[in-house]
Amino acid sequence: RMQDSLAAKTAIVHEIARLETSRAQAHADQSMMLAAGHRAVHAVLEAKKDIGGVHGVIASLARVEGPYVLALDVAAGAHVSSIVVEHEDDARAGIDYLRTQKVGVATFLPMNKIRPREIPSFVHSLLGNKGVLGFAKDFVACEPRFTDIFAFIFGSTLLVDSFEHAKSVGI
């Protein structure tokens, strides 16, 4: 029985080591992907005159003031570094540029194709409840021509003043 116990313990220790190695590799892969994404975005912004129609990354096209910066940054997620372009042809040119330069991949949001997401009526019904401050998109200051882009990114995301209020209204 002692040998069985030792064998089981050894197997568990080996499995833990294998999982930790796997986790470390996944983290390294993710870091490399993020770095490649940053290089790609930077490359597109550097070449925006050659590509044409590039307005900038989401993070540079909006202003958020007050205590909501972190909440909106989290809500925007990976879109913070998405590149807004005028037309889908500009996005294709950006993708072709990245492919020929071999600097990574980036997400492009063509203004002629992006439309605000439809907000379900039940989400509208949550407005006015205690702690519900409003739609996330309404806390972003941007040029009017980018309004649809931010409405697309934030969709039906509501901003609330606390987790307790969010739970109390069923969010």
Side-chain angles (χ1 to χ4, degrees):
R1 293 181 187 205
M2 182 68 115
Q3 281 182 318
D4 291 343
S5 207
L6 286 173
K9 182 179 178 183
T10 302
I12 290 171
V13 167
H14 284 295
E15 181 64 10
I16 289 171
R18 186 190 68 75
L19 290 172
E20 286 177 346
T21 301
S22 178
R23 183 183 60 80
Q25 182 62 47
H27 182 70
D29 291 346
Q30 182 182 26
S31 294
M32 287 178 59
M33 286 174 51
L34 286 172
H38 291 304
R39 278 193 308 272
V41 169
H42 182 72
V44 168
L45 295 177
E46 289 287 314
K48 70 190 230 176
K49 288 181 183 171
D50 298 328
I51 296 169
V54 176
H55 293 290
V57 294
I58 286 295
S60 71
L61 299 176
R63 291 171 311 287
V64 177
E65 301 196 9
Y68 310 119
V69 173
L70 179 60
L72 292 173
D73 188 47
V74 170
H79 280 299
V80 169
S81 61
S82 293
I83 302 167
V84 177
V85 294
E86 190 66 31
H87 195 271
E88 62 190 301
D89 291 337
D90 301 319
R92 279 191 209 98
I95 292 166
D96 289 343
Y97 177 80
L98 292 173
R99 187 176 300 131
T100 59
Q101 298 301 308
K102 297 180 181 170
V103 290
V105 296
T107 300
F108 292 88
L109 300 175
M111 291 175 57
N112 72 313
K113 290 293 185 179
I114 299 295
R115 299 289 173 256
R117 298 178 193 191
E118 192 167 325
I119 299 173
S121 59
F122 80 89
V123 176
H124 282 286
S125 70
L126 296 173
L127 294 173
N129 282 315
K130 183 177 181 176
V132 177
L133 303 174
F135 288 106
K137 67 181 178 64
D138 295 333
F139 289 83
V140 174
C142 66
E143 291 182 34
R145 63 185 171 149
F146 299 127
T147 302
D148 282 355
I149 294 288
F150 286 98
F152 168 78
I153 288 170
F154 291 112
S156 60
T157 302
L158 292 171
L159 199 58
V160 295
D161 65 2
S162 70
F163 286 115
E164 289 74 30
H165 285 136
K167 286 192 282 185
S168 72
V169 295
I171 299 176

